[in-house]
Amino acid sequence: MTWDRKELKDTVAKVLGEDTTLVIAANREPYVHVIKEGKIECDRPTGGVATALDPVMQACGGLWVAHGRGSGDRKVVDKNDCIKVPPDNPSYTLKRIWLNKEEEKGYYFGFSNSSLWPLCHLTYTRPSFNENDWNYYKLVNQRFADVILKEIKGRKAVVWIHDFHLTLLAQMIKKRRPDVLCIHSWHIPWPNSEVFRICPKQREIIEALLCNDLLGFHIRYHCENFFDNVDKVLEARIDREKYSVIYNGHETFIRAFPISADFRAVSEISDTEEVEKAVQKIINEFSLEKVDYVLFGLDRLDYTKGIPERLLALDRFLEKYPEYRKRVVFIQIGELSRIQIQEYKNLNDMINALMSDINWKYSVEDWSPVILLRRHVPLKQILAFFRLARACIVSPLHDGMNLVSKEFISSRIDEDGVLILSKFTGAARELSEAIFVNPYDIDDFADKIKQALELPKVERTRRMKTLRGVVKENNIYKWAGKVISEIKKIQK
Ligand code: GDG
């Protein structure tokens, strides 16, 4: 059986029953209202968690609690700070939490993104810790807990918490409502205990996470790292058979649930006339009719995503294989992300410098090898870029899963195109027909680009067909369905 929206809806109804509210707690909101030229527009944010969870909530209904960060967000909510979304087909409620600049700085840019994010991704970016950020992190977690507790007052609820911004939430909720079932989905890697132990708050974080009833990672390796960490830090009982941890008399089940894309929706949109037209428009706009191959990359501009390494590999490729000069264009889309943090400013400067070096080195007449679009691009255009690409390059230094790889595959209704994928993504465990790279090994990476461009059509089709089969089967509805179904099993 292939999971779809209806299957998920039925599963949620069966498992939760009619009287239980499903609450999603995630930092990022699925829809952002922004004021542009005096008018309010509704945008989709960039980022894996919001992209993945929106179709799930459209299927299940319920409440999504998130930080409202859009300039027009306050203008469109009701007196309870709520708004029904999506705007064209309202199917669930978004409740916005407001943070002042100090709170956002300490909780979001500070402890979440300068401490936990670099700590959990092995990219040799040094995490920094300070007490002030931690205090704001606790304060904002408490704000989420208070809002959720008020919303579910007196009612049965399942709270499904997401990611590294809200590690303390289950503990805060259970303190006042021990009957509420809490699930936490961890979307980034959990590193080994040698790495995690430098976090001065590791004990507080692990203890709080163990207040959840179910804790999900993308891959089993991260579950194992977590067990190891618990073992080193706490006097807890680890049950390897049940794959659970018992601490302070409470049992937390640990599971691997590999997240995915909405295969069917992406395939269907990719098959529309609008996307066809967008393909032609892009060819004209960037004069792509003059080249034989387009290479494509799509990422938030983040140091975990391996964008400089990708550019270095392209440089090496053009140096080593001059016959490809004038025949290839690499297009990178990358919206600026977390730019208030110094490391992200440095990354942006580094990407600019590499791009201008490469373009200076190889440009001839009207051909330049690298095009960088540093902005958010609408989904249909993204799909047009995917469809145009001979190869999509996904080269993170470390990534919990990586949805771009799965969206690229979903978009290739023509069963063509090659995925060049970093070994250090969670996705690499499922997408075995990709061409794998170690992004640190620039010479080999350059050779893999050549290999991707030279794969014969029949081999490209064979690989893409297999990859599409995998993503079609293991789609986003299956991911959410498996998480929700697990509730029944653990309650037994
Ligand atoms: C975290 C984990 C895990 C990006 N630019 C544009 C755009 N995007 C969309 C992509 C994709 C999403 O953003 C990025 O998702 P990823 O999974 O690749 O990466 P993270 O944001 O780091 O996500 C990751 C994920 O959570 C889910 O668990 O896979 O490992 O790090 O959906 O398409 N979308 C549009 N325009 C853009 O310019 N429309």
Side-chain angles (χ1 to χ4, degrees):
M1 173 200 77
T2 302
W3 280 79
D4 60 14
R5 192 171 276 213
K6 181 171 178 314
E7 185 69 29
L8 174 63
K9 194 175 174 185
D10 293 348
T11 303
V12 171
K14 211 159 67 198
V15 175
L16 302 191
E18 293 218 324
D19 54 347
T20 303
T21 308
L22 177 65
V23 181
I24 293 252
N27 172 70
R28 181 66 43 98
E29 50 186 348
Y31 296 88
V32 192
H33 289 87
V34 284
I35 304 174
K36 286 184 195 155
E37 294 166 9
K39 286 201 196 115
I40 297 182
E41 283 180 21
C42 183
D43 282 352
R44 295 300 317 276
T46 303
V49 177
T51 308
L53 290 175
D54 177 54
V56 170
M57 283 303 270
Q58 287 196 39
C60 309
L63 179 75
W64 180 322
V65 180
H67 169 211
R69 66 182 178 112
S71 53
D73 273 359
R74 283 175 199 260
K75 296 214 183 288
V76 294
V77 291
D78 62 18
K79 61 178 186 327
N80 199 24
D81 297 328
C82 289
I83 179 168
K84 286 263 183 204
V85 288
D88 47 358
N89 178 27
S91 38
Y92 66 97
T93 304
L94 168 64
K95 183 172 176 86
R96 288 174 169 151
I97 288 184
W98 315 114
L99 302 180
N100 65 32
K101 295 273 185 233
E102 280 303 299
E103 290 164 347
E104 193 178 359
K105 185 165 171 268
Y107 146 80
Y108 182 74
F109 294 113
F111 198 76
S112 297
N113 285 309
S114 300
S115 307
L116 288 178
W117 177 266
L119 178 72
C120 292
H121 289 92
L122 306 182
T123 64
Y124 303 94
T125 305
R126 191 184 167 120
S128 61
F129 301 95
N130 77 63
E131 205 60 25
N132 191 45
D133 288 350
W134 170 247
N135 287 334
Y136 277 115
Y137 184 81
K138 280 195 293 189
L139 184 141
V140 173
N141 270 248
Q142 190 62 58
R143 178 91 50 82
F144 270 79
D146 292 344
V147 165
I148 291 168
L149 285 162
K150 197 169 160 210
E151 282 293 323
I152 62 173
K153 202 171 171 190
R155 279 183 293 146
K156 279 168 76 179
V158 168
V159 180
W160 189 359
I161 305 160
H162 292 271
D163 235 354
F164 56 99
H165 315 85
L166 299 170
T167 54
L168 311 176
L169 199 52
Q171 190 176 45
M172 291 165 169
I173 287 173
K174 292 272 191 183
K175 211 170 172 178
R176 281 166 43 204
R177 283 285 304 269
D179 61 305
V180 167
L181 201 126
C182 291
I183 305 171
H184 195 123
S185 288
W186 190 262
H187 291 265
I188 64 176
W190 189 282
N192 72 45
S193 58
E194 284 297 301
V195 172
F196 203 77
R197 71 175 183 170
I198 68 161
C199 176
K201 305 298 172 193
Q202 70 158 340
R203 188 184 178 92
E204 286 90 330
I205 289 173
I206 294 174
E207 277 187 331
L209 284 173
L210 288 176
C211 292
N212 284 285
D213 301 282
L214 178 61
L215 174 57
F217 297 93
H218 289 323
I219 57 174
R220 213 172 152 92
Y221 182 61
H222 299 152
C223 301
E224 289 294 329
N225 282 346
F226 183 76
F227 277 126
D228 190 35
N229 228 164
V230 170
D231 200 26
K232 298 244 164 50
V233 175
L234 301 177
E235 292 282 322
R237 190 153 73 80
I238 295 175
D239 187 328
R240 288 274 167 186
E241 237 161 71
K242 282 163 79 189
Y243 225 60
S244 69
V245 180
I246 300 170
Y247 182 62
N248 274 341
H250 176 81
E251 186 163 22
T252 305
F253 291 84
I254 315 296
R255 295 286 182 270
F257 300 109
I259 201 165
S260 193
D262 189 345
F263 176 87
R264 194 165 153 189
V266 175
S267 294
E268 282 175 8
I269 302 170
S270 183
D271 203 12
T272 56
E273 221 185 295
E274 261 178 286
V275 171
E276 288 286 345
K277 281 188 185 149
V279 169
Q280 206 43 57
K281 224 173 139 204
I282 293 166
I283 294 176
N284 298 341
E285 186 179 345
F286 300 105
S287 308
L288 298 176
E289 70 286 345
K290 284 191 240 128
V291 296
D292 296 331
Y293 308 107
V294 173
L295 296 166
F296 180 61
L298 168 71
D299 310 82
R300 283 184 303 104
L301 285 191
D302 193 293
Y303 53 77
T304 60
K305 301 294 182 185
I307 303 165
E309 289 72 11
R310 204 174 297 174
L311 290 167
L312 289 169
L314 184 79
D315 183 6
R316 185 76 187 107
F317 165 76
L318 293 171
E319 190 175 71
K320 218 169 158 181
Y321 305 108
E323 66 275 21
Y324 278 98
R325 293 180 197 173
K326 289 183 77 175
R327 294 178 60 203
V328 180
V329 165
F330 170 57
I331 304 176
Q332 172 72 47
I333 294 181
E335 192 183 8
L336 287 176
S337 180
R338 305 170 189 168
I339 200 68
Q340 284 77 356
I341 299 173
Q342 188 58 44
E343 281 73 13
Y344 287 78
K345 292 190 175 90
N346 298 346
L347 172 77
N348 193 33
D349 291 346
M350 190 195 287
I351 291 172
N352 282 340
L354 279 169
M355 185 180 78
S356 59
D357 280 359
I358 297 171
N359 280 343
W360 175 81
K361 209 158 138 188
Y362 301 105
S363 288
V364 272
E365 296 151 22
D366 57 350
W367 173 80
S368 295
V370 185
I371 298 171
L372 173 63
L373 306 176
R374 210 183 283 91
R375 59 169 186 258
H376 184 86
V377 173
L379 177 67
K380 284 180 184 151
Q381 275 181 45
I382 297 283
L383 300 185
F385 280 108
F386 277 154
R387 290 205 43 194
L388 253 171
R390 168 55 66 89
C392 180
I393 311 183
V394 178
S395 57
L397 305 179
H398 203 190
D399 214 337
M401 175 55 68
N402 189 280
L403 290 179
V404 171
S405 53
K406 294 185 172 183
E407 291 162 355
F408 170 64
I409 292 165
S410 310
S411 77
R412 293 310 295 247
I413 45 173
D414 58 348
E415 298 177 333
D416 202 346
V418 183
L419 175 65
I420 300 178
L421 181 63
S422 161
K423 291 174 182 173
F424 309 130
T425 57
R429 315 224 162 190
E430 285 171 83
L431 306 179
S432 56
E433 296 295 339
I435 290 186
F436 290 106
V437 290
N438 168 352
Y440 293 94
D441 186 350
I442 301 299
D443 249 90
D444 182 67
F445 195 162
D447 290 345
K448 293 289 165 55
I449 294 177
K450 181 168 184 282
Q451 185 193 341
L453 296 184
E454 291 176 1
L455 269 194
K457 170 88 170 75
V458 28
E459 177 61 5
R460 297 199 301 270
T461 304
R462 188 194 66 75
R463 285 176 184 246
M464 187 49 82
K465 257 190 175 158
T466 310
L467 290 169
R468 286 179 64 77
V470 171
V471 182
K472 183 178 180 192
E473 171 69 23
N474 301 319
N475 60 36
I476 186 65
Y477 300 106
K478 181 171 176 182
W479 173 77
K482 291 280 172 194
V483 174
I484 298 292
S485 306
E486 200 63 26
I487 295 176
K488 263 256 157 340
K489 293 191 199 153
I490 64 177
Q491 278 174 338
K492 275 190 195 149

